[in-house]
DNA sequence: CTAGAATTGTGTCAAAAACACACGTTCTTG
DNA sequence: CAAGAACGTGTGTTTTTGACACAATTCTAG
């Protein structure tokens, strides 16, 4: 213990950026704070790192407390550590981002935390440096989703190709050609036909697919230029 | 201040993974520790975060102290925070990686820290979780270098196309076709001819180029499938 | 001082991938 | 049951990739 005696110990926080997709637009799960500091303002869900707790574990705990979900896609984004980012006391924040199937959420838990799903288009200003965190997270999501098929994490287990396309269009804020999109996705061999059809569709009912998990895992290691046309839209 | 009173403050360390290239193989700048703990063993260069110091700033300071270099490519890699990663006391480590032109180093500073350049092939076992950090860093380097032209950061300001190719071969541990490599690099418009020739070459002297910085910056935002054939070699 | 080895620069061609666009089908609504 | 909307599959052209050939430069060995 004596060896590190003279160094400063610092508060370590975690913040979670939780992405969801409702079929139309990309959403964030945000909290309207009913606690200090910054009472009444919007922020990301966060908390402090506990003794005896791994970083990854802490991020999972925070995510679970808010959404009732475990085993979601959860990835460390970046650590933010400018000196005055938290005006109360110097705190560095290890930020994770998560992709969630919005249908699986625990509504009660979310309400208890005074949280709601907000469209990225109508995102309010957040406290501290949380806006910057969201910017970086969105950039990362765009970057990764063009190279790895992580988009599926935002969809229900059964989905149609047009739904998947709408998701990508929401992530990148762009329009894609239906026919080329379909061809490319099919070429990846990532979709397994269920034989069922989408009963919710208002017009023609599309075919429902599930994800081919074995193939999915292969695409997560290494990368694959999923959607080349999105390259310029992905921040570096 | 009172608001965060009950939370634990933790030691925050920084570790730097410093990559260099000597024309033949990819190297790491490692330290043979002549201080406690783990006296006599190999480790990454590191230090603690000071009060009043940004994370980025601290990483730059550590890099500068060791190499005498500033303004290198320096990117946050990941934060490592399992509970017992440092046996002395709980410490989380924010890890940065840096790309350095090996010729610019401050030899005296490096010797003073008992550091040396070690080929990745002959890397010794490092203390704590530093081996894991290096693994992740190499993965990241491979990932990024296939999509962004960051390889140039490891070369002198004037270089030949074959030198650049040797660098990529060292990063990915593979052989590339000289003719296709050249064609692709030239197509990026990233190289500016200097008119000079490489006087060090033993056989035919290659043309020396410099980096087109404007174009380089464009390639850092967004991405570009620099070397498609390396996709599978890049960890996700 | 010349032949040969090593390395560098430029070119060609076939295969594959990307992109733009067309047509037929299914389902709901009025 | 006709019209509109969304879904599914196909086709041709252009661009990019990957495999490979040949010529030019420079040092060295005999």
């Amino acid at each position: 213990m004596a060896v590190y005696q003279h160094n400063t110990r610092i508060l370590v926080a975690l913040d979670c950026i939780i992405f969801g997709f409702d079929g139309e637009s990309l959403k964030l799960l945000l909290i309207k704070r009913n606690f200090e500091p910054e009472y009444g303002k919007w922020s990301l869900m966060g908390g402090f790192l506990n003794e005896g707790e791994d970083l990854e574990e802490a991020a999972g705990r925070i995510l679970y407390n808010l959404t009732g979900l475990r085993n979601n896609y959860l990835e460390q984004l970046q650590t933010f550590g400018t000196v005055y980012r938290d005006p109360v006391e110097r705190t560095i924040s290890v930020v994770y981002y998560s992709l969630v199937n919005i249908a699986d959420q625990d509504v009660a838990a979310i309400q208890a935390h005074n949280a709601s799903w907000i469209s990225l288009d109508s995102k309010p200003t957040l406290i501290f440096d949380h806006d910057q965190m969201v910017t970086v997270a969105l950039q990362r999501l765009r970057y990764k989703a063009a190279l790895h098929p992580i988009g599926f994490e935002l969809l229900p287990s059964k989905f149609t190709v047009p739904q998947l396309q709408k998701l990508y269009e929401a992530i990148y804020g762009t329009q894609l050609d239906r026919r080329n999109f379909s061809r490319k996705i099919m070429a990846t061999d990532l979709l397994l036909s269920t034989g069922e059809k989408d009963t919710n569709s208002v017009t023609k009912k599309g075919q429902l697919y599930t994800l081919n998990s074995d193939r999915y895992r292969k695409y997560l290691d290494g990368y694959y230029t999923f959607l080349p046309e999105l390259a310029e839209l992905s921040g570096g």
Side-chain angles (χ1 to χ4, degrees), chain A:
Chain A
M1 281 288 184
V3 201
Y4 299 156
Q5 205 67 39
H6 58 292
N7 294 292
T8 316
R9 279 128 188 100
I10 296 174
L11 274 176
V12 176
L14 295 108
D15 289 296
C16 286
I17 292 156
I18 305 167
F19 287 106
F21 178 65
D22 65 357
E24 285 302 321
S25 64
L26 197 59
K27 306 214 158 188
L28 285 175
L29 190 53
L30 296 175
I31 289 192
K32 184 144 188 182
R33 295 165 71 95
N34 48 12
F35 50 90
E36 292 294 347
E38 301 283 359
Y39 188 102
K41 298 202 179 156
W42 290 93
S43 81
L44 296 169
M45 180 72 180
F48 288 97
L49 179 63
N50 294 332
E51 292 183 62
E53 189 181 43
D54 292 350
L55 278 176
E56 183 91 16
E57 200 179 330
R61 163 176 61 84
I62 290 168
L63 181 66
Y64 177 73
N65 282 344
L66 179 57
T67 63
L69 298 173
R70 283 199 193 283
N71 303 322
N72 284 293
Y73 187 90
L74 182 63
E75 183 187 329
Q76 190 182 307
L77 178 68
Q78 194 181 303
T79 300
F80 290 74
T82 53
V83 179
Y84 299 109
R85 50 169 300 283
D86 186 327
V88 178
E89 175 180 339
R90 169 128 212 219
T91 308
I92 71 167
S93 175
V94 185
V95 180
Y96 283 77
Y97 77 102
S98 174
L99 306 181
V100 161
N101 173 7
I102 218 167
D104 294 346
Q105 63 182 300
D106 178 342
V107 179
I110 288 178
Q111 282 176 351
H113 283 88
N114 208 22
S116 26
W117 288 99
I118 311 270
S119 257
L120 268 169
D121 319 315
S122 52
K123 183 184 76 61
T125 300
L126 308 179
I127 66 164
F128 301 170
D129 51 358
H130 288 196
D131 282 318
Q132 195 196 339
M133 292 171 180
V134 170
T135 302
V136 175
L138 184 59
Q139 194 172 303
R140 175 79 67 89
L141 174 61
R142 286 182 176 149
Y143 192 88
K144 280 211 91 156
L147 298 167
H148 308 272
I150 56 172
F152 296 101
E153 306 280 353
L154 290 162
L155 291 177
S157 62
K158 294 179 185 178
F159 54 87
T160 67
V161 174
Q163 276 168 23
L164 183 63
Q165 182 179 345
K166 282 220 180 71
L167 167 61
Y168 276 96
E169 291 179 338
I171 293 177
Y172 294 96
T174 189
Q175 296 285 105
L176 297 171
D177 185 286
R178 196 164 37 85
R179 297 150 297 189
N180 292 333
F181 183 85
S182 174
R183 178 165 40 75
K184 282 181 203 171
I185 294 296
M186 288 314 189
T188 63
D189 215 29
L190 274 164
L191 302 194
L192 292 172
S193 180
T194 64
E196 303 168 57
K197 295 199 169 184
D198 180 19
T199 51
N200 295 325
S201 176
V202 240
T203 61
K204 180 176 178 183
K205 284 129 170 44
Q207 279 217 47
L208 285 170
Y209 293 90
T210 55
L211 186 58
N212 180 340
S213 320
D214 287 351
R215 209 135 238 290
Y216 177 65
R217 271 187 290 275
K218 281 187 191 159
Y219 277 108
L220 289 183
D221 311 335
Y223 64 79
Y224 172 80
T225 307
F226 228 64
L227 299 164
E229 57 196 306
L230 301 176
E232 280 117 54
L233 302 174
S234 314

